[in-house]
Short mmCIF file of all heavy atoms in Angstrom, two decimals:
data_model
loop_
_atom_site.label_atom_id
_atom_site.label_comp_id
_atom_site.label_asym_id
_atom_site.label_seq_id
_atom_site.Cartn_x
_atom_site.Cartn_y
_atom_site.Cartn_z
N ARG H 47 -95.41 107.33 -9.57
CA ARG H 47 -93.95 107.40 -9.59
C ARG H 47 -93.45 108.55 -10.34
O ARG H 47 -92.31 109.16 -10.00
CB ARG H 47 -93.37 106.02 -10.11
CG ARG H 47 -93.62 104.93 -8.99
CD ARG H 47 -93.32 103.51 -9.70
NE ARG H 47 -91.82 103.47 -10.04
CZ ARG H 47 -90.86 103.15 -9.20
NH1 ARG H 47 -91.21 102.93 -7.89
NH2 ARG H 47 -89.67 103.09 -9.64
N GLU H 71 -81.53 117.79 -10.72
CA GLU H 71 -81.31 117.12 -9.50
C GLU H 71 -81.67 117.90 -8.23
O GLU H 71 -82.42 117.42 -7.41
CB GLU H 71 -79.75 116.78 -9.54
CG GLU H 71 -79.32 115.57 -8.74
CD GLU H 71 -80.14 114.25 -8.83
OE1 GLU H 71 -80.44 113.87 -10.05
OE2 GLU H 71 -80.35 113.62 -7.86
N ARG H 78 -89.16 116.62 -3.72
CA ARG H 78 -89.46 115.44 -3.04
C ARG H 78 -89.73 115.58 -1.49
O ARG H 78 -90.41 114.78 -0.97
CB ARG H 78 -88.30 114.45 -3.13
CG ARG H 78 -88.43 113.65 -4.54
CD ARG H 78 -87.27 112.71 -4.64
NE ARG H 78 -87.37 112.00 -5.78
CZ ARG H 78 -86.27 111.55 -6.52
NH1 ARG H 78 -85.02 111.96 -6.10
NH2 ARG H 78 -86.40 110.86 -7.70
N ASN H 89 -90.17 99.42 2.37
CA ASN H 89 -88.85 99.86 2.18
C ASN H 89 -88.30 100.59 3.34
O ASN H 89 -87.61 101.66 3.25
CB ASN H 89 -88.83 100.78 0.93
CG ASN H 89 -89.09 100.08 -0.25
OD1 ASN H 89 -89.09 98.77 -0.32
ND2 ASN H 89 -89.29 100.78 -1.37
N LEU H 90 -88.57 100.07 4.63
CA LEU H 90 -87.91 100.63 5.80
C LEU H 90 -86.41 100.40 5.72
O LEU H 90 -85.99 99.43 5.06
CB LEU H 90 -88.51 100.03 7.00
CG LEU H 90 -90.02 100.49 7.35
CD1 LEU H 90 -90.38 99.84 8.61
CD2 LEU H 90 -90.08 102.01 7.52
N PRO H 92 -83.47 98.83 7.07
CA PRO H 92 -83.41 97.69 8.05
C PRO H 92 -82.31 97.80 9.10
O PRO H 92 -82.27 97.21 10.19
CB PRO H 92 -83.12 96.45 7.17
CG PRO H 92 -82.54 96.99 5.93
CD PRO H 92 -83.07 98.35 5.74
N HIS H 93 -81.24 98.73 8.84
CA HIS H 93 -80.17 98.93 9.78
C HIS H 93 -80.52 99.96 10.80
O HIS H 93 -79.73 100.27 11.61
CB HIS H 93 -78.88 99.20 9.01
CG HIS H 93 -78.93 100.46 8.15
ND1 HIS H 93 -79.82 100.54 7.18
CD2 HIS H 93 -78.34 101.61 8.11
CE1 HIS H 93 -79.79 101.70 6.57
NE2 HIS H 93 -78.83 102.36 7.11
N GLU H 102 -84.74 109.98 10.41
CA GLU H 102 -83.75 110.05 9.34
C GLU H 102 -83.94 111.23 8.36
O GLU H 102 -82.94 111.99 8.11
CB GLU H 102 -83.64 108.78 8.51
CG GLU H 102 -82.53 108.68 7.55
CD GLU H 102 -81.16 108.86 8.12
OE1 GLU H 102 -80.99 108.59 9.28
OE2 GLU H 102 -80.30 109.22 7.42
N TYR H 135 -85.90 96.98 15.64
CA TYR H 135 -85.57 97.00 14.30
C TYR H 135 -86.74 96.54 13.37
O TYR H 135 -87.57 95.65 13.88
CB TYR H 135 -84.32 96.24 14.09
CG TYR H 135 -83.06 96.93 14.56
CD1 TYR H 135 -82.58 96.65 15.70
CD2 TYR H 135 -82.37 97.81 13.74
CE1 TYR H 135 -81.43 97.23 16.27
CE2 TYR H 135 -81.32 98.47 14.14
CZ TYR H 135 -80.78 98.24 15.42
OH TYR H 135 -79.71 98.74 15.91
N ALA H 137 -87.08 94.34 11.22
CA ALA H 137 -87.23 92.94 11.02
C ALA H 137 -88.13 92.31 12.11
O ALA H 137 -88.65 91.11 11.99
CB ALA H 137 -85.88 92.27 11.02
N GLY E 127 -85.49 99.17 -3.76
CA GLY E 127 -86.44 99.98 -3.02
C GLY E 127 -85.82 100.84 -1.89
O GLY E 127 -86.40 101.95 -1.50
N GLN E 128 -84.73 100.44 -1.43
CA GLN E 128 -83.93 101.22 -0.40
C GLN E 128 -83.52 102.61 -0.94
O GLN E 128 -83.73 103.57 -0.22
CB GLN E 128 -82.77 100.44 0.14
CG GLN E 128 -83.04 99.26 0.90
CD GLN E 128 -83.65 99.60 2.30
OE1 GLN E 128 -83.11 100.43 3.06
NE2 GLN E 128 -84.83 99.13 2.60
N GLU E 130 -84.84 103.98 -3.47
CA GLU E 130 -86.08 104.82 -3.80
C GLU E 130 -86.59 105.47 -2.57
O GLU E 130 -87.02 106.64 -2.65
CB GLU E 130 -87.13 103.94 -4.42
CG GLU E 130 -86.72 103.52 -5.90
CD GLU E 130 -87.90 102.99 -6.74
OE1 GLU E 130 -88.85 102.49 -6.08
OE2 GLU E 130 -87.77 103.11 -7.88
N ARG E 133 -84.33 108.36 -1.65
CA ARG E 133 -84.45 109.54 -2.45
C ARG E 133 -85.85 110.17 -2.44
O ARG E 133 -86.00 111.33 -2.55
CB ARG E 133 -84.28 108.92 -4.05
CG ARG E 133 -82.87 108.47 -4.32
CD ARG E 133 -81.66 109.41 -4.02
NE ARG E 133 -81.81 110.72 -4.60
CZ ARG E 133 -81.36 110.91 -5.85
NH1 ARG E 133 -80.86 109.95 -6.58
NH2 ARG E 133 -81.52 112.14 -6.34
N SER E 134 -86.92 109.29 -2.18
CA SER E 134 -88.23 109.89 -2.20
C SER E 134 -88.37 110.85 -0.86
O SER E 134 -89.39 111.63 -0.88
CB SER E 134 -89.39 108.82 -2.20
OG SER E 134 -89.43 108.16 -0.90
N GLN E 141 -76.18 111.42 -0.04
CA GLN E 141 -76.84 111.12 1.23
C GLN E 141 -77.41 109.71 1.33
O GLN E 141 -77.16 108.98 2.26
CB GLN E 141 -77.87 112.15 1.54
CG GLN E 141 -77.44 113.46 2.04
CD GLN E 141 -78.50 114.56 2.00
OE1 GLN E 141 -79.44 114.47 1.39
NE2 GLN E 141 -78.34 115.54 2.95
N ARG E 145 -76.03 107.12 4.00
CA ARG E 145 -76.88 106.80 5.13
C ARG E 145 -77.64 105.53 5.00
O ARG E 145 -77.86 104.87 5.99
CB ARG E 145 -77.95 107.96 5.40
CG ARG E 145 -77.30 109.34 5.54
CD ARG E 145 -76.75 109.48 6.98
NE ARG E 145 -77.75 108.98 8.02
CZ ARG E 145 -77.37 108.73 9.23
NH1 ARG E 145 -76.15 108.81 9.67
NH2 ARG E 145 -78.33 108.36 10.15
N GLN E 150 -75.60 99.18 4.84
CA GLN E 150 -76.12 97.76 4.55
C GLN E 150 -75.13 96.93 3.72
O GLN E 150 -74.94 95.84 3.93
CB GLN E 150 -77.47 97.91 3.87
CG GLN E 150 -78.48 98.54 4.77
CD GLN E 150 -79.84 98.57 3.89
OE1 GLN E 150 -80.35 97.61 3.60
NE2 GLN E 150 -80.40 99.75 3.77
N ASN E 227 -79.45 93.38 14.35
CA ASN E 227 -80.85 93.93 13.92
C ASN E 227 -81.44 93.04 12.86
O ASN E 227 -82.39 93.49 12.25
CB ASN E 227 -80.62 95.34 13.49
CG ASN E 227 -79.66 95.50 12.28
OD1 ASN E 227 -78.98 94.50 12.01
ND2 ASN E 227 -79.41 96.72 11.77
N ARG E 229 -83.28 89.34 11.76
CA ARG E 229 -83.83 88.21 12.41
C ARG E 229 -83.26 86.90 11.83
O ARG E 229 -82.95 86.89 10.67
CB ARG E 229 -85.30 88.21 12.18
CG ARG E 229 -86.00 87.51 13.31
CD ARG E 229 -87.44 87.53 13.40
NE ARG E 229 -88.13 88.36 12.50
CZ ARG E 229 -89.40 88.71 12.74
NH1 ARG E 229 -90.05 88.23 13.73
NH2 ARG E 229 -90.10 89.53 11.85
#
Side-chain angles (χ1 to χ4, degrees):
Chain H
R47 293 166 61 81
E71 206 43 50
R78 277 180 176 146
N89 297 348
L90 290 180
H93 58 301
E102 185 58 27
Y135 285 95
Chain E
Q128 290 291 308
E130 288 197 334
R133 298 303 305 276
S134 79
Q141 281 172 334
R145 300 286 310 166
Q150 297 181 59
N227 53 357
R229 207 172 354 194

